[in-house]
Amino acid sequence: MASPAKRKSFEDLSNELFYEIFDYFDSWSLYKAFANLNIRFQNLLFNCSYRFKINVSHLEKSDIDAFCRKFLIPNRHRIVSLHLRRSNLIDLLLPSITNNLIFEQVESIHLPYISKTILVVLLQSFILLPRLFFLDLFLVKIVSYQQGSKYDEYLNLTEIYCSILKLPVLKSIKISSWLPETKFPIAMNSTIEGSSLENIIIDHQCYLNDLINLLRHTPRLRRLICRKGVQTGENNTQEISFSLTNLISLSIKRSSLELNKFDTFLGQIGSNLKILHIANSSYENCFNGNQWEKILSKNFPFLKKFSLEFLENLDETFDLVKFEELISSFTSQHQWTIQITLTQNQYEDCQLKLVVQSQNFTPIVTTVKIYKVFNLAQIEFIFKLCPLITYLELDDWSNINLEILVQFVVMKSPSSLQYFTISDRKYHSDFMEKLKNRWKFSTIKFQKEKIYLQLNR
């Protein structure tokens, strides 16, 4: 047992180590825990070089006054991050924030579940923040009725985006909404100068013309992600009279744009793109491999990585010949290497991801898991699609005889396949004996409702 002189306590830790520990906690929680503990912790917390990160998910009404009066306002010059997780919390703190908004050191603000009305007020004050580099917003629109409130189905973000574009030093913005109809028709406005934005994540549905109008004002943009789709809309697509020469990465998911319109859009936004990711819910819309190859060759001489994702049922309706043509269109002229990733979710949808990269990339397609096996042709397609497969896992195979299924995999699989896993929730003990006697697997074991097989090749 250590002598009393050699015993160590929590307070024996160095100041540097305490500050590393503090980084894992919300500063308001640290203040409540340590501010009145002793002189040393008071000095640690209120050292002028220590910066506060506020991440508050809940405050009782009785704590609002203490939070604002004793902590938020007195320390506003030392706060670098402000994350308020509840809309009612934002409402309660709004008067204190807007009336004393001289947060000179704030670099990032996160406001989930905030209404448009409140955000408009806050954005007017955010213009005064000299170091606000990152903004993360999740917007809802609430319509009041006599019986209460409910979420509306339409959200116009014009005023929001115009205010964001005016923030003087903002580098990154993420703006989200779960509403299906979200619009931000930003008109050409001479009062909005070129924005400082370099990274934009749009996590709500948008229309192509709205996106074009937004991009007109972001000449420094380097990375753009549209997570919930770009729709064509009823109006004709606008002409693009600008070029985003700094744009190097573009990701667009769930787009319903026709390929020819998408070609026009890509061809005009800038030629320095290095990464292009397209995730499309419609296989037909990304099917023309020759047109994709022309789009990439014509518009992006510096492109290093192109990925294409789509959902498709891997059954007898799947056209493997056309899919192979899609792949060959990228390899025939430029010898680009191909990576294919296949996943299937619990709703029986299969997602194919096609990645085209420069010649110094070595493709590795090794692992496939299928949640629902419809027929043996589906498995055969997997083997053709992934000739370098090393691991195959089948979850629901109830439509097929188990012995026939294993025999098919053993006989038809590529020589690269090493491991084969089958879900077996009933434990077919007699079949396990057949496996041992009929096929010489290197390993046969049953564990956690699964049969694990290692092929002897």
Side-chain angles (χ1 to χ4, degrees):
M1 182 175 180
S3 64
K6 294 182 178 180
R7 288 176 183 170
K8 295 290 184 179
S9 70
F10 180 66
E11 295 186 37
D12 291 328
L13 298 176
S14 66
N15 290 350
E16 291 76 12
L17 187 54
F18 270 120
Y19 283 132
E20 289 187 25
I21 296 173
F22 286 174
D23 279 340
Y24 289 92
F25 295 91
D26 163 57
S27 296
W28 169 238
S29 300
L30 292 171
Y31 174 85
K32 291 189 295 181
F34 296 112
N36 297 317
L37 185 62
N38 56 40
I39 296 298
R40 186 191 177 193
F41 280 104
Q42 286 183 359
N43 291 335
L44 282 173
L45 285 175
F46 296 107
N47 186 313
C48 60
S49 63
Y50 177 61
R51 297 291 180 253
F52 288 137
K53 299 177 181 179
I54 299 177
N55 189 342
V56 181
S57 60
H58 177 73
L59 277 179
E60 299 292 341
K61 288 188 178 181
S62 57
D63 292 335
I64 294 290
D65 179 67
F67 175 75
C68 294
R69 180 171 51 83
K70 295 182 179 181
F71 181 74
L72 184 69
I73 303 306
N75 297 293
R76 62 187 181 274
H77 302 295
R78 299 170 55 199
I79 297 173
V80 295
S81 176
L82 185 62
H83 190 160
L84 304 177
R85 295 189 180 183
R86 293 289 184 269
S87 58
N88 61 339
L89 185 60
I90 298 172
D91 295 345
L92 292 170
L93 294 177
L94 183 63
S96 298
I97 294 176
T98 53
N99 292 335
N100 299 276
L101 195 56
I102 313 176
F103 296 113
E104 297 176 352
Q105 301 298 321
V106 168
E107 298 180 358
S108 65
I109 296 178
H110 304 254
L111 300 174
Y113 303 103
I114 185 171
S115 68
K116 172 185 172 182
T117 304
I118 296 209
L119 182 58
V120 167
V121 176
L122 287 175
L123 286 173
Q124 300 304 314
S125 300
F126 288 172
I127 294 177
L128 303 176
L129 301 181
R131 294 181 57 81
L132 181 58
F133 301 133
F134 178 78
L135 197 56
D136 186 353
L137 310 170
F138 191 104
L139 287 110
V140 295
K141 184 178 180 182
I142 299 178
V143 181
S144 297
Y145 294 93
Q146 292 182 353
Q147 300 297 327
S149 298
K150 75 170 187 177
Y151 293 112
D152 195 7
E153 295 182 353
Y154 172 78
L155 185 63
N156 190 312
L157 300 182
T158 301
E159 191 174 4
I160 299 297
Y161 272 98
C162 288
S163 297
I164 289 171
L165 291 171
K166 294 178 181 179
L167 297 178
V169 296
L170 192 67
K171 298 296 183 184
S172 302
I173 174 73
K174 177 184 176 183
I175 183 164
S176 309
S177 174
W178 59 33
L179 297 176
E181 288 292 329
T182 305
K183 298 181 180 180
F184 52 102
I186 303 172
M188 288 299 294
N189 191 333
S190 59
T191 63
I192 301 178
E193 299 179 358
S195 170
S196 59
L197 280 170
E198 296 180 3
N199 305 286
I200 298 177
I201 299 177
I202 300 175
D203 197 8
H204 61 75
Q205 289 187 2
C206 64
Y207 291 95
L208 181 59
N209 283 340
D210 293 342
L211 180 61
I212 291 173
N213 280 331
L214 172 65
L215 297 180
R216 293 181 195 277
H217 304 286
T218 58
R220 303 178 189 178
L221 188 65
R222 294 176 57 82
R223 296 173 180 84
L224 172 64
I225 299 176
C226 299
R227 287 184 173 170
K228 291 186 178 175
V230 178
Q231 317 301 325
T232 303
E234 298 178 357
N235 300 325
N236 294 327
T237 304
Q238 296 186 32
E239 292 292 331
I240 301 177
S241 57
F242 59 91
S243 180
L244 300 175
T245 56
N246 295 309
L247 187 66
I248 60 173
S249 178
L250 174 63
S251 175
I252 296 181
K253 299 182 179 181
R254 304 181 191 175
S255 173
S256 66
L257 299 179
E258 297 176 5
L259 204 52
N260 59 342
K261 292 184 178 180
F262 199 65
D263 181 10
T264 303
F265 172 72
L266 290 176
Q268 294 178 328
I269 60 173
S271 60
N272 294 323
L273 206 64
K274 295 182 179 180
I275 299 173
L276 176 60
H277 175 212
I278 307 297
N280 202 318
S281 59
S282 171
Y283 182 69
E284 299 274 340
N285 202 27
C286 3
F287 208 64
N288 194 326
N290 290 325
Q291 189 168 354
W292 273 121
E293 197 280 331
K294 290 178 182 177
I295 291 173
L296 303 185
S297 301
K298 178 180 66 175
N299 300 314
F300 307 116
F302 305 108
L303 193 68
K304 298 295 183 182
K305 181 178 180 180
F306 171 60
S307 60
L308 188 63
E309 297 182 30
F310 45 87
L311 294 175
E312 178 66 16
N313 291 326
L314 298 184
D315 53 22
E316 63 276 2
T317 64
F318 188 87
D319 195 330
L320 181 59
V321 174
K322 285 191 175 182
F323 183 75
E324 290 174 342
E325 290 175 354
L326 175 67
I327 295 175
S328 64
S329 65
F330 295 111
T331 58
S332 59
Q333 296 188 31
H334 299 281
Q335 289 77 50
W336 282 355
T337 54
I338 303 294
Q339 180 182 21
I340 302 168
T341 303
L342 173 66
T343 59
Q344 185 184 43
N345 59 33
Q346 62 269 35
Y347 303 108
E348 303 179 4
D349 294 323
C350 291
Q351 183 179 34
L352 286 173
K353 181 179 180 180
L354 178 68
V355 180
V356 183
Q357 293 188 298
S358 55
Q359 296 182 34
N360 59 0
F361 171 78
T362 302
I364 303 176
V365 186
T366 59
T367 301
V368 174
K369 179 177 180 179
I370 303 179
Y371 287 89
K372 177 72 174 180
V373 181
F374 300 101
N375 49 50
L376 296 177
Q378 181 186 5
I379 300 176
E380 186 174 16
F381 168 78
I382 297 298
F383 293 153
K384 291 181 180 179
L385 190 65
C386 307
L388 300 179
I389 184 174
T390 60
Y391 177 85
L392 174 64
E393 181 174 345
L394 306 179
D395 190 15
D396 182 357
W397 45 267
S398 56
N399 294 333
I400 305 174
N401 177 272
L402 182 56
E403 186 173 350
I404 294 176
L405 177 64
V406 172
Q407 180 178 353
F408 183 85
V409 171
V410 172
M411 301 299 294
K412 296 290 186 177
S413 62
S415 59
S416 59
L417 186 67
Q418 300 177 24
Y419 301 97
F420 178 31
T421 300
I422 314 168
S423 294
D424 186 7
R425 296 170 179 84
K426 296 181 180 180
Y427 183 60
H428 296 73
S429 57
D430 55 336
F431 179 69
M432 292 292 290
E433 290 299 322
K434 287 184 179 180
L435 286 176
K436 295 177 182 178
N437 298 326
R438 184 167 182 179
W439 294 287
K440 294 183 179 180
F441 292 103
S442 299
T443 302
I444 300 176
K445 67 177 181 179
F446 180 85
Q447 186 177 1
K448 295 182 179 180
E449 298 184 339
K450 289 183 179 181
I451 300 173
Y452 293 90
L453 305 173
Q454 182 178 356
L455 281 70
N456 188 7
R457 291 179 166 173

